[in-house]
Amino acid sequence: GVAISTYAKYCYNKLQKAALTGAKKGLKKPNIEEIRHAKNAVFNPSMFGSSLQDIVAMQKERYPDRQLPWVQTRLSEEVLALNGDQTEGIFRVPGDIDEVNALKLQVDQWKIPTGLEDPHVPASLLKLWYRELEEPLIPHDFYEQCISHYENPEAAIAVVHSLPRINRMVLCYLIRFLQVFVQPANVAVTKMDVNNLAMVMAPNCLRCQSDDPRIIFENTRKEMSFIRVLIQHLDTSFMEGVL
């Protein structure tokens, strides 16, 4: 009883996204549960590839009081629960792709992850969630300000406070999360200092829209520096206990 155009529009959007970011990767063929989930996806939008506003709207019925996306806080908590802050190469070493895909399916069905042992798996999925947001975590309208103030802590923090509320909250949660990992005792084990963390996280927060390889290359350095400045200088104490 559903119009073919509904499915057609959904498939068209998926194909457009796949053309830009690539299709799902993995060694295994889709299992029955994944196929069933894909068939219902047109009626149950994914938390991956959606906008922050849509994700918050999706969780309103389940978590009416939450200010942050459940998927963000749940995966972040999972990384720490598996001692990710004591794991060498965290956020740099990728998790097993098929385990990441399986976890993505669980999370997209609002299930609390079970049976996880490797913190690289939720860490990889968390990075994927940020990277696949429909609009980047730091919206395009603020991009030029970010790369203009990549070395100025005061100006960089001012950009953060000028973001739309949901973007500001999600970004501040992320920065507070990363500030856990830059503690010297953790860096000694993970080998992921503030520069390494900024390097792996900047592409998940900022997206250069230029097609010029020279501009992309030059801006990559500025994007990393902007995120590094936030990790080092942004006061995120007001986020304590916020979910």
Side-chain angles (χ1 to χ4, degrees), residues 133-166:
L133 284 171
E134 190 174 273
E135 185 180 40
L137 179 51
I138 299 176
H140 294 304
D141 290 349
F142 297 84
Y143 182 84
E144 290 300 326
Q145 294 179 53
C146 294
I147 61 169
S148 297
H149 302 307
Y150 68 95
E151 288 183 320
N152 183 334
E154 191 175 323
I157 289 168
V159 174
V160 173
H161 289 303
S162 70
L163 296 175
R165 185 178 186 278
I166 183 61

Side-chain angles (χ1 to χ4, degrees), residues 83-84 86-93 120 189-192:
N83 297 316
Q86 295 291 299
T87 302
E88 185 171 338
I90 193 68
F91 297 117
R92 177 180 56 79
V93 175
H120 294 303
V189 181
T190 66
K191 307 296 191 287
M192 293 294 289

Side-chain angles (χ1 to χ4, degrees), residues 25-219:
K25 298 179 180 67
L27 302 176
K28 299 175 182 175
K29 292 182 179 179
N31 59 34
I32 295 298
E33 190 177 7
E34 287 179 310
I35 293 170
R36 188 180 298 119
H37 182 63
K39 284 173 66 179
N40 293 328
V42 65
F43 308 111
N44 300 292
S46 173
M47 286 182 277
F48 294 82
S50 296
S51 69
L52 287 175
Q53 291 78 4
D54 286 345
I55 293 166
V56 171
M58 283 178 213
Q59 69 184 35
K60 209 67 179 169
E61 190 174 324
R62 290 179 178 84
Y63 305 108
D65 299 324
R66 278 184 174 260
Q67 300 182 61
L68 294 162
W70 174 83
V71 57
Q72 178 193 26
T73 58
R74 181 65 257 178
L75 288 173
S76 301
E77 289 164 357
E78 205 63 39
V79 173
L80 293 178
L82 294 171
N83 297 316
D85 57 350
Q86 295 291 299
T87 302
E88 185 171 338
I90 193 68
F91 297 117
R92 177 180 56 79
V93 175
D96 178 84
I97 187 66
D98 290 310
E99 286 188 43
V100 173
N101 287 333
L103 178 59
K104 182 179 180 182
L105 181 64
Q106 274 189 315
V107 169
D108 237 354
Q109 295 175 330
W110 305 93
K111 294 177 181 176
I112 301 295
T114 56
L116 289 178
E117 297 178 1
D118 181 3
H120 294 303
V121 173
S124 293
L125 188 59
L126 183 61
K127 283 169 56 183
L128 180 71
W129 179 76
Y130 287 116
R131 189 166 65 251
E132 287 194 343
L133 284 171
E134 190 174 273
E135 185 180 40
L137 179 51
I138 299 176
H140 294 304
D141 290 349
F142 297 84
Y143 182 84
E144 290 300 326
Q145 294 179 53
C146 294
I147 61 169
S148 297
H149 302 307
Y150 68 95
E151 288 183 320
N152 183 334
E154 191 175 323
I157 289 168
V159 174
V160 173
H161 289 303
S162 70
L163 296 175
R165 185 178 186 278
I166 183 61
N167 298 75
R168 183 173 70 253
M169 296 288 286
V170 169
L171 177 60
C172 287
Y173 182 93
L174 169 60
I175 297 300
R176 185 171 178 80
F177 178 62
L178 296 177
Q179 286 168 343
V180 171
F181 293 85
V182 297
Q183 300 304 313
N186 292 335
V187 174
V189 181
T190 66
K191 307 296 191 287
M192 293 294 289
D193 62 14
V194 67
N195 294 308
N196 293 329
L197 287 169
M199 183 187 299
V200 296
M201 283 300 180
N204 303 314
C205 300
L206 291 152
R207 293 181 206 160
C208 181
Q209 291 186 288
S210 174
D211 293 325
D212 187 331
R214 291 170 302 175
I215 293 176
I216 294 171
F217 179 78
E218 178 63 22
N219 284 8

